[in-house]
Amino acid sequence: MTQFAFIIPLRPKAESADWQGDKVLLNRTIESVLRQTYTNLRIYVLYTDAPDVQPADPRLVYVEFPFGYQSWDDLKNKEELFSKFKSKQKAVRRWDKARKLCYGSKLAKEAGCNYLMALDSDDLLSKHFLTYLFSTSDANKCSGWYLDKGYLYKDGAGFLISVPRYMCGLNGSTHMLHRDLVEIPDFNSLDWNDYNLFTDHGWVRGRMKKYYDAELIPVPKAMLVYVVHRSNMSQVYQKEFGFNLKAIIKRILRGVKLTAALKEEFNIST
């Protein structure tokens, strides 16, 4: 039976502006996965600092990242990463996240999971997400799927902002790939390109086509909520929930009332 794996990289405490808040977001994300109507799944949470509350479920595995946290001073490939991200903080965070995702993918493949997805700890999935994927998986012959549509949400808001297309430009939790398309690197490598499959999320679909001639299937409806907060690296909080004219107009045009049904579907608590 098809088994889906989710790899969640938890930001190290040293890189967190709100460690308690990060843990709350993580647990809500985990719950949104465990509530899936299709239940054959595994979740791998890769951490540097262990959360003090770990929900008990046999499908959920917490794994300490064996290569540890590397600060800017510890990095041995500073020049390459700085040229890519133009920021020491972004370089450290992306390097840590990408390697955790690769290690979690390694564990998922070793466990026999058929499809793998990177999932950020501030994203919520529709409880029907895996049921839809399973219905279109064609006995595990499908290359995978991508989420082109989604929602943005800020805690306390009574609405969502609809993202009608190119969700992968905003969010990294947008691709579910067949295990054969996820290559596991040599973790002694210092080459960013060996780790960036899921973190360079804007070109995953093109990458699959170019290197594997693999076509990913679009998910036809919004099944992802990106929880926007002040710690988002992309500054999406300011861009989408700020008080500039462009953001206000976008909220008016794309705002969706947060109904009880949507709260239940995505495990949104207000």
Side-chain angles (χ1 to χ4, degrees):
M1 190 174 181
T2 302
Q3 187 171 57
F4 297 91
F6 297 89
I7 298 94
I8 305 178
L10 180 60
R11 182 179 294 174
K13 188 183 295 186
E15 290 297 322
S16 174
D18 181 6
W19 179 241
Q20 294 302 320
D22 286 350
K23 291 186 290 184
V24 170
L25 289 170
L26 171 66
N27 287 336
R28 187 164 55 171
T29 295
I30 289 171
E31 186 177 348
S32 84
V33 179
L34 294 177
R35 292 172 71 251
Q36 293 294 304
T37 53
Y38 181 91
T39 60
N40 194 16
L41 61 92
R42 291 177 69 88
I43 306 171
Y44 295 88
V45 178
L46 278 294
Y47 66 84
T48 303
D49 304 287
D52 46 13
V53 176
Q54 301 180 8
D57 190 291
R59 299 169 295 172
L60 174 61
V61 182
Y62 282 81
V63 181
E64 183 175 5
F65 184 56
F67 300 97
Y69 168 68
Q70 292 177 293
S71 67
W72 175 254
D73 291 336
D74 296 327
L75 292 177
K76 300 185 185 305
N77 52 344
K78 295 184 182 70
E79 184 175 337
E80 177 194 6
L81 294 177
F82 191 81
S83 67
K84 171 73 175 175
F85 299 113
K86 314 302 180 188
S87 159
K88 293 180 180 179
Q89 184 183 61
K90 286 184 179 180
V92 168
R93 289 186 178 181
R94 288 299 185 95
W95 180 249
D96 180 79
K97 178 179 179 178
R99 282 160 57 85
K100 284 176 176 171
L101 286 171
C102 287
Y103 193 78
S105 297
K106 173 180 178 292
L107 298 178
K109 291 184 69 169
E110 290 173 350
C113 297
N114 305 96
Y115 291 96
L116 284 62
M117 181 175 183
L119 185 63
D120 288 336
S121 57
D122 51 11
D123 293 325
L124 304 172
L125 294 171
S126 164
K127 68 178 185 180
H128 306 299
F129 178 58
L130 290 187
T131 295
Y132 170 77
L133 298 193
F134 178 68
S135 71
T136 59
S137 63
D138 190 23
N140 300 332
K141 295 178 182 178
C142 169
S143 295
W145 303 261
Y146 67 97
L147 288 154
D148 200 40
K149 303 175 182 180
Y151 297 109
L152 304 176
Y153 172 68
K154 182 182 74 169
D155 277 331
F159 63 92
L160 306 170
I161 298 176
S162 173
V163 180
R165 61 183 178 84
Y166 200 57
M167 187 69 177
C168 66
L170 285 173
N171 186 278
S173 306
T174 43
H175 300 87
M176 179 74 82
L177 302 180
H178 192 280
R179 54 175 290 128
D180 292 346
L181 301 178
V182 182
E183 297 185 7
I184 306 303
D186 175 355
F187 285 90
N188 291 315
S189 171
L190 296 176
D191 187 344
W192 167 252
N193 293 311
D194 287 341
Y195 303 100
N196 67 354
L197 171 59
F198 286 116
T199 48
D200 285 1
H201 43 84
W203 63 293
V204 171
R205 185 181 168 202
R207 185 170 175 169
M208 294 299 99
K209 178 63 177 176
K210 179 177 180 179
Y211 294 107
Y212 300 97
D213 195 28
E215 294 282 358
L216 303 183
I217 299 173
V219 176
K221 63 171 291 188
M223 289 192 167
L224 172 70
V225 170
Y226 182 9
V227 180
V228 175
H229 50 94
R230 294 187 183 275
S231 297
N232 296 123
M233 282 294 289
S234 63
Q235 297 184 328
V236 67
Y237 184 99
Q238 295 87 340
K239 293 176 182 177
E240 303 294 339
F241 287 91
F243 294 97
N244 60 81
L245 182 60
K246 184 177 180 180
I248 293 172
I249 292 174
K250 185 180 293 186
R251 291 198 293 272
I252 292 172
L253 296 178
R254 297 185 183 175
V256 176
K257 183 180 179 180
L258 183 56
T259 62
L262 284 170
K263 288 181 182 181
E264 199 275 332
E265 179 181 352
F266 289 98
N267 190 42
I268 296 175
S269 56
T270 55

